[in-house]
Amino acid sequence: MGPGGLSIFIDRVRPIDYVALVEFNSEARTVFPSTPIDSEETRRALESAVRALVSGGGTNINDGLETGYLEVQANYRSDYTNRVLFLTDGMGESERALDLAATFRDLGINVSTIGVGDSFDLELMNAIARTGGGSSRFISDREQMQSIFSDELDRMVVAAARNVDLTVTLPDGVTLVETWGYEHTVSGNTISYAMPTVHNRDYETILIRVEQVPVDLEGAQEARTTELATVAGSFVSLSGERTRIEPISLTAAVSDAIAPLDGVSTYRVIQSAAMLDVALSLREIGTVYFGS
């Protein structure tokens, strides 16, 4: 990515923020220990450490991740956002990475991952972020780098809610076909989801495909409203309090029109559903082609 990219991040660091910088190739080392960036001198020292980074051989993901966690832990505070930003442009030793992510998430330290270029392990980066209670991004060019570090940083770092539990209850006549987006459990007509963290200005997507008993539209002049599900749950606020999410009824307008969509409010649903249909089609093609 180059030092210039991290300079964008450095300019956004506040005086109350603690920052550490860990470099890892075949081994990991701390080049700037966890320090409050509370003076211009300290900020320039961090910038100098960034500019001194050089590419090396190997990618020891295990040691790099663990060293980053230990730096955050050195100044851990329960009322702070305690976060590792893990950047890598390659693949390497990673057999302990998911265990580290799970262990430190339980200690209140999350990780967000950023893959750089086109040779990093995308599946691993997503898994580390998911297990570690963070989000995952990738950078392919300077424009994306500037977007992430200038506009999307709080969507990766600043938690809005933690330990989010959602329960979706399907009414009689509605049957679950499949659901995607998060780990879940199904009990009868109830689907339960758990999200480690929801970030500021970010959104999370859960897709549920259901079948419904056909609605009788005979003689109807307008679309009829039918209930698809009820959503409820709870989350831990930044103050540490468990807050309840009051039940919300999800309804749909059933019509015999060819395209009874209202456009704006359904855009993200349409987009997500289209992407899912493409993914399922690719999976079906792969199954036919490879025979498994």
Side-chain angles (χ1 to χ4, degrees):
M1 179 179 64
L6 285 177
S7 294
I8 301 172
F9 165 73
I10 293 171
D11 290 339
R12 295 200 61 194
V13 174
R14 303 169 303 175
I16 62 172
D17 293 330
Y18 284 74
V19 176
L21 181 64
V22 173
E23 178 185 42
F24 63 98
N25 36 63
S26 56
E27 59 183 21
R29 69 183 186 95
T30 300
V31 297
F32 189 88
S34 180
T35 306
I37 312 302
D38 54 5
S39 70
E40 191 61 25
E41 181 181 0
T42 306
R43 192 179 298 270
R44 298 287 74 85
L46 174 58
E47 192 172 55
S48 296
V50 168
R51 294 188 181 280
L53 294 175
V54 294
S55 298
T59 306
N60 193 328
I61 290 174
N62 294 321
D63 287 355
L65 189 59
E66 183 172 26
T67 304
Y69 274 126
L70 294 177
E71 285 296 329
V72 175
Q73 192 176 42
N75 286 297
Y76 175 87
R77 283 182 52 171
S78 59
D79 56 338
Y80 275 25
T81 295
N82 301 277
R83 177 74 53 132
V84 173
L85 281 179
F86 189 75
L87 287 77
T88 183
D89 61 357
M91 304 181 185
E93 299 175 40
S94 59
E95 66 277 359
R96 293 190 294 115
L98 296 185
D99 288 340
L100 286 168
T103 297
F104 280 93
R105 186 189 74 185
D106 291 343
L107 295 175
I109 302 175
N110 299 129
V111 59
S112 290
T113 61
I114 303 176
V116 183
D118 57 8
S119 60
F120 66 93
D121 189 334
L122 176 61
E123 185 175 344
L124 176 64
M125 291 298 101
N126 286 335
I128 290 174
R130 186 169 56 249
T131 303
S135 60
S136 183
R137 300 287 193 277
F138 75 92
I139 296 173
S140 60
D141 53 38
R142 182 170 180 80
E143 183 176 336
Q144 284 188 326
M145 173 185 65
Q146 290 175 327
S147 174
I148 287 176
F149 283 99
S150 297
D151 303 325
E152 299 186 24
L153 190 60
D154 56 341
R155 292 177 61 179
M156 295 191 66
V157 176
V158 181
R162 298 186 176 92
N163 298 326
V164 180
D165 295 321
L166 286 181
T167 300
V168 177
T169 303
L170 305 179
D172 292 339
V174 179
T175 305
L176 173 67
V177 176
E178 196 169 355
T179 179
W180 305 264
Y182 280 87
E183 293 183 5
H184 60 277
T185 58
V186 178
S187 178
N189 64 339
T190 299
I191 318 161
S192 300
Y193 304 88
M195 305 178 194
T197 312
V198 175
H199 296 91
N200 185 40
R201 294 197 308 118
D202 210 352
Y203 63 89
E204 305 295 336
T205 301
I206 293 174
L207 294 177
I208 304 174
R209 177 169 286 173
V210 299
E211 290 182 348
Q212 184 183 37
V213 173
V215 177
D216 184 9
L217 294 173
E218 185 176 354
Q221 299 300 313
E222 297 180 354
R224 291 184 176 175
T225 300
T226 182
E227 184 182 27
L228 294 180
T230 300
V231 181
S234 65
F235 63 92
V236 175
S237 67
L238 298 186
S239 63
E241 298 179 353
R242 173 63 69 172
T243 302
R244 184 185 178 192
I245 302 172
E246 296 295 333
I248 301 171
S249 179
L250 301 182
T251 60
V254 181
S255 168
D256 58 2
I258 296 176
L261 301 174
D262 63 8
V264 176
S265 66
T266 56
Y267 168 74
R268 195 172 297 283
V269 174
I270 297 171
Q271 181 188 48
S272 299
M275 293 174 63
L276 176 62
D277 284 340
V278 171
L280 292 175
S281 297
L282 290 173
R283 185 173 68 180
E284 184 177 351
I285 291 171
T287 300
V288 172
Y289 184 81
F290 293 106
S292 62

